Amino acid sequence: MEENFRDSIGTINKEGKRAWVFPKKPSGPLYEYRKYVSYALLLFLLASPFIKINGNQFLMFNVLERRFNIFGLPFWPQDFYLFVLSMIIGVVFIALFTVAFGRIFCGWLCPQTIFMEMVFRRVEYWIDGDRGAQKRLDRQEWNAEKIKKRALKWTVFFFISFLIANVFLAYLIGSDRLLLYISQGPFRHISTLVSLLIFTAVFFFVFAWFREQVCIIACPYGRMQGVLLDNKSVVVAYDHKRGEAEKGRKKFKKGEDRQALGHGDCIDCFQCVNVCPTGIDIRNGTQLECVNCTACIDECDTIMENVHLPKGLIRYASEENIEKKTPFEFTPRLKGYSAVLLILIGILAGMLFLRNDLEANILRLPGQLYEHKENNIISNVFTYKLLNKTTKTIDDVSFKLLSHNGKIEVVTHENFDVPAQGLSEGTLFIEINNSALNGDKDKLRIGVYSGEHLIETTTARFLAPRSYK
Ligand code: SF4
Ligand code: SF4
């Protein structure tokens, strides 16, 4: 075997410069399925910031104001624990998913692949033509045809990038504010306009030039593949046992009995290489550049059909499937991992939906102990903070002591409202008869009511003299 086998990546030439990839236009059943999946995901990505549920944007990640909406549920900095938990679950999920199913996510769901292969690449095929025409155009001098095609392509790319940047901004600052800024004219919001143009430039750079390099050198998930995959992981794989047989691959000759001659089923047509958007030869084994886009599966299946050999020379399979010549099966390991993944999704969904709309914090006033009052009443003073995470005012709010006999008196002596997505804070006194106390530091359970409805419960420590133990 050559000493330099696989010691360089397909997108860098011998001089160390970028080798531009001109992938052939994919076609085949998997590509069709991917198209449908990508249409659904594009619709989801583009529409999510403009959909409202109970007045809340469906998805919003307002990092500057630290406000997040997920599936229409508003999250605040106070929900940070949920964020940390979902991050931990997310990391476990990604690790398990990748160990079991390889990079399926990259090929089918990743926004980079979807925008690159299903939007920008298709515009490119439409303007520049297929692989051969693109290569010719690239070599061609800057004549009228090339200038016209490049100008058209880059203009379309710019507008798509601008559209994506607007949607991206709608995720960040909220679609209402974005639409308001647009209606007021961009020059009244220069800093937002500058951000928008920077995002547009970044998207243009990524999709017009950087392209597959994102997956190969920039994406941390792609870089982790080496440690996450093992020989049981299901990936897009070339069946080297079948493709190479005893005497290796060989060009197709009509009427030849390849099996009798000991040649494998690979007819060395290079179509799987030509169609690959990351410029690799999948026949060299699993490589970190492979985004599992399945274009080579479709392409090789078409070739196999044409030469009347069984399809599936390149297919979803694990290294073990190929070595042991076993078909893909849903093994107990995959079942186990899938069950764990489902449980994790369930936990996360439960955490998201069972979260309260009102966050209540009741803390003793610093530096204050307790006060004796008439008739053996002990009084403690507290501050309260109520955060309304919804877009509706919570009215007629009051507190009740749930764990002890006693009373809670807000300083203002009246019920109050908590404004939508706002905060109410103040001071309250809790008074409990000594006979109802169990010790000098009782834990109180306090109910927060809107009218007669209990909307949240919280706890607080009540201090009393030691003699009441
Ligand atoms: S497309 Fe199939 S037959 Fe052609 S080179 Fe690739 S693996 Fe071999
Ligand atoms: S090797 Fe096949 S699946 Fe992997 S990126 Fe290339 S075409 Fe897509």
Side-chain angles (χ1 to χ4, degrees):
M1 190 162 290
E2 287 175 60
E3 269 185 19
N4 61 358
F5 177 67
R6 281 177 66 175
D7 65 355
S8 63
I9 59 173
T11 50
I12 293 182
N13 65 21
K14 287 199 180 80
E15 289 84 47
K17 294 206 177 107
R18 170 90 175 269
W20 196 262
V21 182
F22 298 97
K24 182 174 182 253
K25 190 173 178 189
S27 61
L30 286 171
Y31 185 61
E32 290 303 312
Y33 292 137
R34 279 176 60 218
K35 270 191 203 166
Y36 296 130
V37 172
S38 70
Y39 295 150
L41 285 174
L42 283 171
L43 188 68
F44 179 80
L45 279 174
L46 299 178
S48 288
F50 301 96
I51 295 172
K52 295 265 178 81
I53 292 183
N54 294 332
N56 293 319
Q57 190 168 313
F58 186 63
L59 282 180
M60 183 175 77
F61 306 96
N62 191 336
V63 184
L64 295 178
E65 291 174 11
R66 295 185 295 159
R67 285 174 51 208
F68 305 90
N69 289 356
I70 297 171
F71 305 136
L73 298 170
F75 287 83
W76 295 74
Q78 284 80 355
D79 297 314
F80 189 70
Y81 72 100
L82 278 181
F83 179 74
V84 173
L85 272 177
S86 53
M87 283 291 123
I88 294 169
I89 289 177
V91 169
V92 176
F93 183 94
I94 287 172
L96 283 185
F97 188 87
T98 311
V99 170
F101 302 106
R103 286 179 85 169
I104 284 181
F105 168 82
C106 301
W108 291 80
L109 303 175
C110 174
Q112 161 71 21
T113 312
I114 290 191
F115 278 114
M116 185 66 244
E117 302 306 325
M118 295 297 171
V119 180
F120 288 87
R121 190 85 74 188
R122 289 173 72 186
V123 170
E124 195 162 70
Y125 290 131
W126 168 60
I127 295 171
D128 290 353
D130 208 343
R131 173 181 160 83
Q134 285 185 21
K135 284 177 106 172
R136 262 194 311 281
L137 192 70
D138 185 61
R139 280 195 302 265
Q140 195 169 306
E141 60 184 39
W142 281 92
N143 57 13
E145 186 207 2
K146 186 163 174 174
I147 292 171
K148 198 179 86 190
K149 284 190 169 170
R150 285 287 185 267
L152 177 63
K153 184 170 86 174
W154 289 337
T155 308
V156 177
F157 277 14
F158 178 84
F159 279 111
I160 300 174
S161 303
F162 185 70
L163 174 77
I164 300 172
N166 271 278
V167 175
F168 188 61
L169 205 60
Y171 277 106
L172 286 184
I173 64 171
S175 56
D176 287 345
R177 198 181 303 177
L178 177 75
L179 295 174
L180 178 75
Y181 287 0
I182 292 172
S183 67
Q184 290 176 338
F187 295 107
R188 280 185 59 187
H189 305 281
I190 289 293
S191 59
T192 309
L193 179 66
V194 170
S195 313
L196 190 64
L197 292 176
I198 291 173
F199 291 148
T200 305
V202 170
F203 288 127
F204 185 85
F205 168 77
V206 165
F207 294 115
W209 192 80
F210 204 49
R211 301 189 156 196
E212 75 289 340
Q213 299 296 312
V214 172
C215 314
I216 297 174
I217 58 177
C219 173
Y221 179 57
R223 311 293 301 178
M224 285 195 311
Q225 300 308 306
V227 287
L228 291 177
L229 297 181
D230 64 15
N231 64 354
K232 289 194 175 95
S233 307
V234 178
V235 291
V236 172
Y238 166 68
D239 186 341
H240 56 91
K241 289 272 178 196
R242 193 188 131 193
E244 306 295 314
E246 290 151 43
K247 292 194 178 161
R249 56 190 84 147
K250 185 177 174 276
K251 295 272 179 223
F252 180 71
K253 240 192 213 167
K254 218 172 174 186
E256 193 176 59
D257 187 351
R258 298 174 70 88
Q259 236 176 356
L261 291 168
H263 289 294
D265 282 354
C266 173
I267 63 163
D268 212 13
C269 63
F270 274 88
Q271 292 310 306
C272 54
V273 183
N274 293 343
V275 83
C276 177
T278 63
I280 58 167
D281 186 342
I282 190 68
R283 295 173 301 168
N284 292 338
T286 304
Q287 293 147 77
L288 72 83
E289 296 98 316
C290 175
V291 291
N292 278 226
C293 72
T294 70
C296 54
I297 299 185
D298 274 337
E299 203 61 26
C300 189
D301 279 351
T302 308
I303 299 292
M304 289 294 108
E305 231 169 18
N306 290 345
V307 296
H308 306 296
L309 286 169
K311 288 193 214 173
L313 182 55
I314 302 175
R315 61 180 187 273
Y316 276 122
S318 67
E319 181 59 29
E320 202 174 83
N321 290 151
I322 290 170
E323 282 295 335
K324 294 184 178 165
K325 299 195 174 177
T326 51
F328 170 77
E329 59 170 319
F330 208 52
T331 57
R333 178 180 115 127
L334 285 184
K335 283 180 194 157
Y337 280 170
S338 305
V340 175
L341 293 178
L342 281 176
I343 291 168
L344 289 178
I345 293 173
I347 292 173
L348 191 59
M351 274 171 25
L352 292 181
F353 288 102
L354 295 176
R355 193 195 53 120
N356 279 340
D357 288 341
L358 183 92
E359 173 105 14
N361 277 305
I362 298 183
L363 297 169
R364 283 193 332 98
L365 200 64
Q368 298 288 318
L369 283 174
Y370 51 82
E371 192 189 334
H372 283 276
K373 290 189 142 182
E374 285 174 5
N375 303 325
N376 275 342
I377 298 288
I378 307 295
S379 168
N380 278 198
V381 58
F382 294 84
T383 58
Y384 66 83
K385 269 189 187 172
L386 300 182
L387 175 71
N388 178 358
K389 299 174 185 171
T390 70
T391 49
K392 290 191 185 111
T393 302
I394 300 177
D395 52 17
D396 197 21
V397 174
S398 61
F399 300 97
K400 276 182 199 152
L401 205 48
L402 302 175
S403 54
H404 293 67
N405 266 332
K407 66 170 183 172
I408 299 181
E409 197 77 62
V410 180
V411 171
T412 53
H413 296 291
E414 53 188 33
N415 292 358
F416 55 93
D417 295 345
V418 188
Q421 303 202 349
L423 192 72
S424 277
E425 44 191 334
T427 309
L428 57 84
F429 292 94
I430 299 181
E431 294 180 351
I432 303 174
N433 192 295
N434 67 52
S435 59
L437 291 168
N438 304 314
D440 60 347
K441 267 188 203 158
D442 271 23
K443 187 176 175 185
L444 307 182
R445 216 159 62 82
I446 299 162
V448 184
Y449 286 78
S450 169
E452 291 304 310
H453 300 289
L454 178 67
I455 49 174
E456 173 66 321
T457 54
T458 186
T459 56
R461 283 274 167 210
F462 189 86
L463 295 189
R466 279 181 186 271
S467 57
Y468 287 110
K469 262 185 190 177

